[in-house]
PDB file of all heavy atoms in Angstrom:
ATOM      1  N   VAL A 871       9.424 -24.156   4.617  1.00  0.00           N
ATOM      2  CA  VAL A 871       8.302 -25.086   4.679  1.00  0.00           C
ATOM      3  C   VAL A 871       8.542 -26.153   3.609  1.00  0.00           C
ATOM      4  O   VAL A 871       9.468 -25.993   2.798  1.00  0.00           O
ATOM      5  CB  VAL A 871       6.943 -24.411   4.469  1.00  0.00           C
ATOM      6  CG1 VAL A 871       6.644 -23.415   5.624  1.00  0.00           C
ATOM      7  CG2 VAL A 871       6.898 -23.646   3.156  1.00  0.00           C
ATOM      8  N   LEU A 872       7.762 -27.202   3.592  1.00  0.00           N
ATOM      9  CA  LEU A 872       7.957 -28.276   2.673  1.00  0.00           C
ATOM     10  C   LEU A 872       7.953 -27.837   1.217  1.00  0.00           C
ATOM     11  O   LEU A 872       8.811 -28.311   0.384  1.00  0.00           O
ATOM     12  CB  LEU A 872       6.839 -29.351   2.911  1.00  0.00           C
ATOM     13  CG  LEU A 872       6.947 -30.594   2.057  1.00  0.00           C
ATOM     14  CD1 LEU A 872       8.214 -31.342   2.390  1.00  0.00           C
ATOM     15  CD2 LEU A 872       5.744 -31.466   2.264  1.00  0.00           C
ATOM     16  N   GLU A 873       7.068 -26.888   0.854  1.00  0.00           N
ATOM     17  CA  GLU A 873       6.955 -26.522  -0.540  1.00  0.00           C
ATOM     18  C   GLU A 873       8.017 -25.404  -0.954  1.00  0.00           C
ATOM     19  O   GLU A 873       8.162 -25.173  -2.130  1.00  0.00           O
ATOM     20  CB  GLU A 873       5.525 -25.875  -0.773  1.00  0.00           C
ATOM     21  CG  GLU A 873       4.412 -26.841  -0.620  1.00  0.00           C
ATOM     22  CD  GLU A 873       3.978 -27.011   0.842  1.00  0.00           C
ATOM     23  OE1 GLU A 873       4.426 -26.185   1.647  1.00  0.00           O
ATOM     24  OE2 GLU A 873       3.193 -27.916   1.094  1.00  0.00           O
ATOM     25  N   GLY A 874       8.636 -24.761   0.029  1.00  0.00           N
ATOM     26  CA  GLY A 874       9.597 -23.723  -0.313  1.00  0.00           C
ATOM     27  C   GLY A 874       9.828 -22.809   0.846  1.00  0.00           C
ATOM     28  O   GLY A 874      10.114 -23.252   2.003  1.00  0.00           O
ATOM     29  N   ILE A 875       9.703 -21.508   0.683  1.00  0.00           N
ATOM     30  CA  ILE A 875       9.923 -20.515   1.699  1.00  0.00           C
ATOM     31  C   ILE A 875       8.659 -19.670   1.809  1.00  0.00           C
ATOM     32  O   ILE A 875       8.202 -19.100   0.875  1.00  0.00           O
ATOM     33  CB  ILE A 875      11.095 -19.611   1.376  1.00  0.00           C
ATOM     34  CG1 ILE A 875      12.375 -20.493   1.249  1.00  0.00           C
ATOM     35  CG2 ILE A 875      11.264 -18.511   2.356  1.00  0.00           C
ATOM     36  CD1 ILE A 875      13.586 -19.718   0.780  1.00  0.00           C
ATOM     37  N   LEU A 876       8.142 -19.619   3.035  1.00  0.00           N
ATOM     38  CA  LEU A 876       6.941 -18.846   3.352  1.00  0.00           C
ATOM     39  C   LEU A 876       7.366 -17.515   3.976  1.00  0.00           C
ATOM     40  O   LEU A 876       8.083 -17.502   4.968  1.00  0.00           O
ATOM     41  CB  LEU A 876       6.018 -19.595   4.310  1.00  0.00           C
ATOM     42  CG  LEU A 876       4.731 -18.856   4.705  1.00  0.00           C
ATOM     43  CD1 LEU A 876       3.847 -18.580   3.511  1.00  0.00           C
ATOM     44  CD2 LEU A 876       3.980 -19.618   5.770  1.00  0.00           C
ATOM     45  N   VAL A 877       6.912 -16.395   3.339  1.00  0.00           N
ATOM     46  CA  VAL A 877       7.272 -15.102   3.870  1.00  0.00           C
ATOM     47  C   VAL A 877       5.938 -14.379   4.282  1.00  0.00           C
ATOM     48  O   VAL A 877       5.024 -14.245   3.456  1.00  0.00           O
ATOM     49  CB  VAL A 877       7.992 -14.235   2.775  1.00  0.00           C
ATOM     50  CG1 VAL A 877       8.280 -12.832   3.314  1.00  0.00           C
ATOM     51  CG2 VAL A 877       9.206 -14.912   2.301  1.00  0.00           C
ATOM     52  N   THR A 878       5.879 -13.986   5.533  1.00  0.00           N
ATOM     53  CA  THR A 878       4.732 -13.255   6.027  1.00  0.00           C
ATOM     54  C   THR A 878       5.272 -11.965   6.717  1.00  0.00           C
ATOM     55  O   THR A 878       6.401 -11.958   7.217  1.00  0.00           O
ATOM     56  CB  THR A 878       3.910 -14.010   7.090  1.00  0.00           C
ATOM     57  OG1 THR A 878       4.782 -14.452   8.127  1.00  0.00           O
ATOM     58  CG2 THR A 878       3.276 -15.248   6.446  1.00  0.00           C
ATOM     59  N   GLY A 879       4.492 -10.892   6.649  1.00  0.00           N
ATOM     60  CA  GLY A 879       4.962  -9.693   7.254  1.00  0.00           C
ATOM     61  C   GLY A 879       4.071  -8.491   7.008  1.00  0.00           C
ATOM     62  O   GLY A 879       2.920  -8.642   6.616  1.00  0.00           O
ATOM     63  N   SER A 880       4.645  -7.318   7.179  1.00  0.00           N
ATOM     64  CA  SER A 880       3.954  -6.075   6.943  1.00  0.00           C
ATOM     65  C   SER A 880       4.873  -5.074   6.212  1.00  0.00           C
ATOM     66  O   SER A 880       6.077  -5.182   6.294  1.00  0.00           O
ATOM     67  CB  SER A 880       3.507  -5.473   8.280  1.00  0.00           C
ATOM     68  OG  SER A 880       4.642  -5.128   9.082  1.00  0.00           O
ATOM     69  N   ALA A 881       4.238  -4.184   5.529  1.00  0.00           N
ATOM     70  CA  ALA A 881       4.997  -3.141   4.779  1.00  0.00           C
ATOM     71  C   ALA A 881       4.310  -1.811   5.014  1.00  0.00           C
ATOM     72  O   ALA A 881       3.090  -1.746   5.106  1.00  0.00           O
ATOM     73  CB  ALA A 881       5.046  -3.500   3.286  1.00  0.00           C
ATOM     74  N   GLN A 882       5.143  -0.769   5.066  1.00  0.00           N
ATOM     75  CA  GLN A 882       4.660   0.598   5.257  1.00  0.00           C
ATOM     76  C   GLN A 882       5.187   1.502   4.152  1.00  0.00           C
ATOM     77  O   GLN A 882       6.367   1.403   3.788  1.00  0.00           O
ATOM     78  CB  GLN A 882       5.204   1.174   6.542  1.00  0.00           C
ATOM     79  CG  GLN A 882       4.291   0.943   7.725  1.00  0.00           C
ATOM     80  CD  GLN A 882       4.883   1.678   8.940  1.00  0.00           C
ATOM     81  OE1 GLN A 882       5.963   1.337   9.391  1.00  0.00           O
ATOM     82  NE2 GLN A 882       4.144   2.638   9.464  1.00  0.00           N
ATOM     83  N   ALA A 883       4.314   2.335   3.588  1.00  0.00           N
ATOM     84  CA  ALA A 883       4.745   3.308   2.585  1.00  0.00           C
ATOM     85  C   ALA A 883       3.797   4.469   2.619  1.00  0.00           C
ATOM     86  O   ALA A 883       2.661   4.408   3.152  1.00  0.00           O
ATOM     87  CB  ALA A 883       4.756   2.650   1.220  1.00  0.00           C
ATOM     88  N   ARG A 884       4.176   5.561   1.942  1.00  0.00           N
ATOM     89  CA  ARG A 884       3.294   6.745   1.873  1.00  0.00           C
ATOM     90  C   ARG A 884       2.897   6.932   0.426  1.00  0.00           C
ATOM     91  O   ARG A 884       3.752   6.975  -0.508  1.00  0.00           O
ATOM     92  CB  ARG A 884       4.066   7.999   2.321  1.00  0.00           C
ATOM     93  CG  ARG A 884       3.206   9.273   2.122  1.00  0.00           C
ATOM     94  CD  ARG A 884       3.758  10.398   2.809  1.00  0.00           C
ATOM     95  NE  ARG A 884       3.420  10.217   4.244  1.00  0.00           N
ATOM     96  CZ  ARG A 884       3.570  11.148   5.158  1.00  0.00           C
ATOM     97  NH1 ARG A 884       4.050  12.302   4.868  1.00  0.00           N
ATOM     98  NH2 ARG A 884       3.219  10.917   6.380  1.00  0.00           N
ATOM     99  N   ALA A 885       1.580   7.047   0.210  1.00  0.00           N
ATOM    100  CA  ALA A 885       1.028   7.222  -1.128  1.00  0.00           C
ATOM    101  C   ALA A 885       0.645   8.726  -1.254  1.00  0.00           C
ATOM    102  O   ALA A 885       0.205   9.359  -0.276  1.00  0.00           O
ATOM    103  CB  ALA A 885      -0.171   6.338  -1.354  1.00  0.00           C
ATOM    104  N   THR A 886       0.730   9.207  -2.474  1.00  0.00           N
ATOM    105  CA  THR A 886       0.315  10.593  -2.747  1.00  0.00           C
ATOM    106  C   THR A 886      -0.657  10.594  -3.916  1.00  0.00           C
ATOM    107  O   THR A 886      -0.560   9.712  -4.817  1.00  0.00           O
ATOM    108  CB  THR A 886       1.506  11.502  -3.053  1.00  0.00           C
ATOM    109  OG1 THR A 886       2.206  11.019  -4.148  1.00  0.00           O
ATOM    110  CG2 THR A 886       2.439  11.588  -1.837  1.00  0.00           C
ATOM    111  N   GLY A 887      -1.492  11.559  -3.968  1.00  0.00           N
ATOM    112  CA  GLY A 887      -2.463  11.651  -5.067  1.00  0.00           C
ATOM    113  C   GLY A 887      -3.313  12.866  -4.924  1.00  0.00           C
ATOM    114  O   GLY A 887      -2.950  13.856  -4.268  1.00  0.00           O
ATOM    115  N   GLU A 888      -4.523  12.785  -5.502  1.00  0.00           N
ATOM    116  CA  GLU A 888      -5.440  13.861  -5.387  1.00  0.00           C
ATOM    117  C   GLU A 888      -6.871  13.356  -5.133  1.00  0.00           C
ATOM    118  O   GLU A 888      -7.255  12.251  -5.552  1.00  0.00           O
ATOM    119  CB  GLU A 888      -5.454  14.761  -6.658  1.00  0.00           C
ATOM    120  CG  GLU A 888      -5.799  14.081  -7.939  1.00  0.00           C
ATOM    121  CD  GLU A 888      -5.622  15.008  -9.124  1.00  0.00           C
ATOM    122  OE1 GLU A 888      -4.877  15.977  -9.051  1.00  0.00           O
ATOM    123  OE2 GLU A 888      -6.292  14.717 -10.117  1.00  0.00           O
ATOM    124  N   CYS A 889      -7.644  14.160  -4.420  1.00  0.00           N
ATOM    125  CA  CYS A 889      -9.014  13.837  -4.068  1.00  0.00           C
ATOM    126  C   CYS A 889      -9.804  13.804  -5.403  1.00  0.00           C
ATOM    127  O   CYS A 889      -9.726  14.668  -6.213  1.00  0.00           O
ATOM    128  CB  CYS A 889      -9.570  14.872  -3.134  1.00  0.00           C
ATOM    129  SG  CYS A 889     -11.319  14.632  -2.751  1.00  0.00           S
ATOM    130  N   VAL A 890     -10.634  12.754  -5.550  1.00  0.00           N
ATOM    131  CA  VAL A 890     -11.421  12.629  -6.730  1.00  0.00           C
ATOM    132  C   VAL A 890     -12.582  13.582  -6.838  1.00  0.00           C
ATOM    133  O   VAL A 890     -13.185  13.788  -7.864  1.00  0.00           O
ATOM    134  CB  VAL A 890     -11.904  11.165  -6.978  1.00  0.00           C
ATOM    135  CG1 VAL A 890     -10.783  10.204  -7.165  1.00  0.00           C
ATOM    136  CG2 VAL A 890     -12.818  10.710  -5.840  1.00  0.00           C
ATOM    137  N   ARG A 891     -12.974  14.174  -5.693  1.00  0.00           N
ATOM    138  CA  ARG A 891     -14.055  15.147  -5.675  1.00  0.00           C
ATOM    139  C   ARG A 891     -13.636  16.594  -5.858  1.00  0.00           C
ATOM    140  O   ARG A 891     -14.232  17.387  -6.579  1.00  0.00           O
ATOM    141  CB  ARG A 891     -14.895  15.011  -4.386  1.00  0.00           C
ATOM    142  CG  ARG A 891     -15.637  13.693  -4.301  1.00  0.00           C
ATOM    143  CD  ARG A 891     -16.502  13.632  -3.075  1.00  0.00           C
ATOM    144  NE  ARG A 891     -17.100  12.354  -2.901  1.00  0.00           N
ATOM    145  CZ  ARG A 891     -17.566  11.919  -1.759  1.00  0.00           C
ATOM    146  NH1 ARG A 891     -17.555  12.683  -0.692  1.00  0.00           N
ATOM    147  NH2 ARG A 891     -18.084  10.675  -1.676  1.00  0.00           N
ATOM    148  N   CYS A 892     -12.564  16.991  -5.094  1.00  0.00           N
ATOM    149  CA  CYS A 892     -12.175  18.407  -5.147  1.00  0.00           C
ATOM    150  C   CYS A 892     -10.773  18.646  -5.722  1.00  0.00           C
ATOM    151  O   CYS A 892     -10.352  19.777  -5.793  1.00  0.00           O
ATOM    152  CB  CYS A 892     -12.251  19.021  -3.744  1.00  0.00           C
ATOM    153  SG  CYS A 892     -10.989  18.417  -2.627  1.00  0.00           S
ATOM    154  N   LEU A 893     -10.076  17.584  -6.050  1.00  0.00           N
ATOM    155  CA  LEU A 893      -8.739  17.651  -6.671  1.00  0.00           C
ATOM    156  C   LEU A 893      -7.682  18.191  -5.749  1.00  0.00           C
ATOM    157  O   LEU A 893      -6.588  18.575  -6.220  1.00  0.00           O
ATOM    158  CB  LEU A 893      -8.767  18.433  -7.989  1.00  0.00           C
ATOM    159  CG  LEU A 893      -9.808  17.938  -9.023  1.00  0.00           C
ATOM    160  CD1 LEU A 893      -9.795  18.854 -10.256  1.00  0.00           C
ATOM    161  CD2 LEU A 893      -9.577  16.537  -9.378  1.00  0.00           C
ATOM    162  N   ALA A 894      -7.899  18.194  -4.447  1.00  0.00           N
ATOM    163  CA  ALA A 894      -6.891  18.625  -3.453  1.00  0.00           C
ATOM    164  C   ALA A 894      -5.809  17.558  -3.370  1.00  0.00           C
ATOM    165  O   ALA A 894      -6.096  16.349  -3.506  1.00  0.00           O
ATOM    166  CB  ALA A 894      -7.520  18.902  -2.126  1.00  0.00           C
ATOM    167  N   ASP A 895      -4.591  17.957  -3.130  1.00  0.00           N
ATOM    168  CA  ASP A 895      -3.509  17.000  -2.926  1.00  0.00           C
ATOM    169  C   ASP A 895      -3.702  16.251  -1.598  1.00  0.00           C
ATOM    170  O   ASP A 895      -4.112  16.853  -0.606  1.00  0.00           O
ATOM    171  CB  ASP A 895      -2.138  17.725  -2.862  1.00  0.00           C
ATOM    172  CG  ASP A 895      -1.754  18.310  -4.175  1.00  0.00           C
ATOM    173  OD1 ASP A 895      -2.245  17.795  -5.227  1.00  0.00           O
ATOM    174  OD2 ASP A 895      -0.943  19.243  -4.212  1.00  0.00           O
ATOM    175  N   ILE A 896      -3.450  14.953  -1.657  1.00  0.00           N
ATOM    176  CA  ILE A 896      -3.617  14.156  -0.432  1.00  0.00           C
ATOM    177  C   ILE A 896      -2.396  13.225  -0.255  1.00  0.00           C
ATOM    178  O   ILE A 896      -1.716  12.913  -1.234  1.00  0.00           O
ATOM    179  CB  ILE A 896      -4.886  13.295  -0.440  1.00  0.00           C
ATOM    180  CG1 ILE A 896      -4.940  12.363  -1.641  1.00  0.00           C
ATOM    181  CG2 ILE A 896      -6.109  14.128  -0.395  1.00  0.00           C
ATOM    182  CD1 ILE A 896      -6.071  11.378  -1.619  1.00  0.00           C
TER     183      ILE A 896
END
């Protein structure tokens, strides 16, 4: 584009953590 390079798209990833109420792995 006139100002530079426009990048649009989508990304996929898997997040891991724990439930804030019961501390179960999610």
Side-chain angles (χ1 to χ4, degrees):
V871 295
L872 183 62
E873 296 84 10
I875 298 172
L876 178 63
V877 179
T878 57
S880 63
Q882 268 185 298
R884 176 168 283 193
T886 60
E888 60 185 22
C889 176
V890 295
R891 291 185 188 159
C892 71
L893 306 177
D895 291 336
I896 57 173

